[in-house]
């Protein structure tokens, strides 16, 4: 691409302050440029960035465990990486990973106490980075495990333009961009009660709704990255009913609620990166009045089933007295099964093992 036509903005010190959407796709998504600064491996030393950061692998002893990709393939966390240069890797370490690892170290009450405005932004940036890395990796994950069925990679089916803003947020520690309040999405944290389903770390996302559910030990996080807080506003009455710790299953339901609200927004927020004098970057947004399409129970049921599928298959959910996965899945798909609240009341987390239909 010719530099004259490209709208990429480069600072006087050579840092790319703003990638044009095309250059973002060419260099970062389809190319092998460093996901933060955009440099290529022949120009700079690379050591690659762990998608699930090292401190988290260490804290939850995940180095030898595998991550299950959307295709069902397993990959070791230790080799689950994306291209990153040494310089950006250490910048992310100092500015993002170390402070986030401290923020999320300890009990839920400690996190609540530490979560001031600055730390909320830090956590939001970290979640944006995590989500972006997960999906940047998808460009190399084949849709079909069996090559005879085709060579498409999961990344082929994304609209990468949607990820352009997310990328700007994820690399804001590098550009020193200030994030205006409208660019921060829904972000809720919960204490997780009851038995934990798997390792200390659990991650699931609704890719196209830019909504992720993340659990670190007994801290549960649900975030929607591109909704300018619409999802948490849409569900505020229901969220207010939550009286204390929630179960993993309930955390998944909050994720489904956020994803569906974001999907159903009639007017979406818009985002833009503004660069002043080739030095300062500001990421701004507009937050339109909250208006949602009419609630569609079946759409919600599909989303909820996606979020709790592994609990259904493990026979961990009983609906109307049965744990048969097929029957339970069909009941959830109707959109009338709830784990979090019922008739305007919070359902105690222990009751979750026998949800009403
Ligand atoms: Zn770099």
């Amino acid at each position: 691409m010719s530099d004259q036509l490209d709208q990429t903005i480069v600072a006087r010190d050579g840092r790319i302050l703003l990638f044009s959407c095309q250059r973002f796709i060419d260099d970062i998504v389809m190319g092998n440029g460093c996901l933060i600064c955009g440099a290529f491996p022949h120009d700079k030393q690379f050591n690659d960035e762990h998608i699930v950061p090292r401190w988290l692998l260490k804290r939850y002893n995940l180095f030898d465990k595998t991550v299950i990709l959307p295709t069902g393939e397993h990959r070791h966390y230790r080799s689950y990486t994306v291209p990153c240069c040494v310089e950006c890797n250490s910048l992310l370490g100092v500015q993002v990973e170390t402070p986030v690892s401290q923020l999320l170290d300890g009990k839920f009450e400690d996190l609540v106490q530490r979560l001031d405005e600055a730390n909320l932004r830090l956590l939001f940036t970290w979640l944006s980075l995590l989500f972006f890395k997960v999906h940047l990796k998808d460009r190399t994950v084949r849709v079909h495990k069996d090559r005879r069925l085709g060579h498409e990679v999961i990344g082929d089916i994304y609209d990468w333009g949607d990820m352009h803003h997310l990328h700007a947020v994820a690399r804001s520690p590098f550009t020193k961009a200030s994030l205006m309040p409208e660019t921060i999405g829904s972000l809720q944290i919960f204490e997780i009660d009851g038995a934990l389903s798997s390792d200390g770390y659990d991650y699931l996302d609704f890719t196209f709704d830019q909504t992720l559910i993340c659990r670190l030990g007994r801290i549960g996080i649900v975030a929607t990255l591109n909704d300018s807080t619409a999802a948490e506003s849409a569900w505020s009455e229901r969220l207010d009913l939550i009286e204390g710790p929630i179960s993993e299953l309930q955390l998944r339901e909050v994720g489904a609620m956020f994803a569906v609200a974001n999907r159903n927004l009639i007017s979406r927020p818009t985002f833009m990166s503004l660069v002043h004098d080739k030095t300062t970057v500001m990421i701004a947004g507009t937050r339109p009045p909250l208006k949602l399409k009419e609630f569609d129970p079946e759409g919600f049921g599909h989303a909820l089933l996606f979020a709790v599928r592994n609990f259904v298959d493990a026979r961990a959910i009983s609906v109307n007295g049965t744990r048969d996965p097929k029957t339970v899945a069909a009941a959830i798909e109707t959109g009338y099964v709830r784990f979090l609240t019922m008739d305007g009341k919070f359902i105690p987390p222990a009751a979750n093992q026998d949800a009403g239909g």
Side-chain angles (χ1 to χ4, degrees):
M1 149 145 311
S2 144
D3 272 351
Q4 278 83 35
L5 292 173
D6 188 38
Q7 287 172 346
T8 294
I9 298 175
V10 183
R12 292 187 185 91
D13 62 9
R15 279 177 310 136
I16 295 179
L17 296 178
L18 175 69
F19 278 91
S20 68
C21 197
Q22 192 57 50
R23 184 147 172 200
F24 160 67
I25 292 173
D26 292 345
D27 293 2
I28 310 287
V29 178
M30 297 304 167
N32 58 351
C34 166
L35 85 154
I36 301 296
C37 70
F40 288 104
H42 51 78
D43 296 327
K44 258 180 151 181
Q45 207 188 339
F46 271 50
N47 59 356
D48 293 345
E49 160 82 358
H50 281 86
I51 293 172
V52 180
R54 288 181 65 89
W55 63 266
L56 218 152
L57 299 181
K58 203 172 156 199
R59 188 171 295 171
Y60 297 110
N61 207 9
L62 298 171
F63 278 101
D64 293 318
K65 301 246 166 90
T66 54
V67 54
I68 306 169
L69 302 177
T71 50
E73 269 179 275
H74 287 248
R75 233 175 247 189
H76 270 109
Y77 276 111
R78 70 166 93 217
S79 53
Y80 187 47
T81 58
V82 285
C84 187
C85 77
V86 172
E87 231 173 284
C88 292
N89 211 327
S90 61
L91 177 127
L92 289 179
V94 173
Q95 294 201 20
V96 184
E97 298 300 347
T98 303
V100 168
S101 74
Q102 288 159 355
L103 181 66
L104 297 175
D105 190 15
K107 293 202 170 87
F108 175 75
E109 299 85 58
D110 302 332
L111 171 61
V112 173
Q113 231 164 36
R114 292 176 198 146
L115 207 57
D116 56 14
E117 191 61 33
N119 277 333
L120 182 82
R121 274 152 194 268
L122 173 71
L123 187 58
F124 184 77
T125 304
W126 182 73
L127 293 167
S128 301
L129 180 65
L130 179 63
F131 182 94
F132 181 72
K133 288 187 288 185
V134 166
H135 295 293
L136 184 60
K137 192 69 183 177
D138 287 350
R139 68 197 168 146
T140 61
V141 177
R142 292 198 313 281
V143 175
H144 307 286
K145 261 203 301 195
D146 183 345
R147 283 170 196 270
R148 288 169 299 183
L149 296 174
H151 294 275
E152 303 104 301
V153 290
I154 294 182
D156 289 342
I157 55 178
Y158 289 156
D159 175 358
W160 286 99
D162 257 9
M163 296 271 189
H164 185 221
H165 160 69
L166 186 76
H167 178 239
V169 174
R171 70 193 288 271
S172 60
F174 174 80
T175 57
K176 300 187 174 60
S178 44
L179 305 179
M180 295 292 109
E182 294 78 16
T183 60
I184 307 297
S186 297
L187 201 173
Q188 295 280 318
I189 53 165
F190 304 92
E191 185 176 8
I192 303 300
D193 191 46
L196 299 180
S197 61
S198 58
D199 302 315
Y201 171 72
D202 186 35
Y203 175 94
L204 178 83
D205 73 43
F206 290 86
T207 308
F208 299 101
D209 307 303
Q210 292 203 5
T211 297
L212 57 95
I213 305 164
C214 186
R215 182 177 60 74
L216 294 91
R218 293 206 172 268
I219 293 173
I221 304 170
V222 177
T224 298
L225 304 172
N226 64 346
D227 74 332
S228 192
T229 66
E232 59 189 22
S233 304
W235 292 110
S236 62
E237 278 180 32
R238 198 169 293 183
L239 293 170
D240 284 347
L241 298 174
I242 298 175
E243 288 163 355
I246 64 175
S247 69
E248 276 194 284
L249 202 55
Q250 292 176 316
L251 182 74
R252 299 286 180 102
E253 182 169 335
V254 175
M257 285 156 55
F258 278 25
V260 166
N262 193 26
R263 198 181 297 175
N264 285 345
L265 281 182
I266 292 174
S267 10
R268 297 207 56 82
T270 52
F271 304 104
M272 67 223 82
S273 291
L274 307 166
V275 182
H276 175 68
D277 201 23
K278 291 194 178 183
T279 44
T280 51
V281 186
M282 184 173 93
I283 306 177
T286 57
R287 181 183 293 161
L290 181 64
K291 251 200 248 163
L292 295 160
K293 289 182 204 155
E294 203 186 328
F295 182 75
D296 160 34
E298 244 172 74
F300 179 74
H302 279 292
L304 183 59
L305 182 60
F306 170 78
V308 303
R309 185 87 236 187
N310 56 339
F311 295 87
V312 175
D313 292 342
R315 295 175 173 266
I317 305 175
S318 155
V319 175
N320 300 333
T322 176
R323 289 172 188 275
D324 170 54
K326 240 177 130 177
T327 316
V328 171
I332 293 173
E333 268 197 310
T334 63
Y336 292 98
V337 173
R338 294 286 180 275
F339 305 110
L340 189 66
T341 61
M342 182 71 80
D343 302 328
K345 286 202 182 91
F346 178 57
I347 303 172
N352 269 195
Q353 305 305 315
D354 193 12

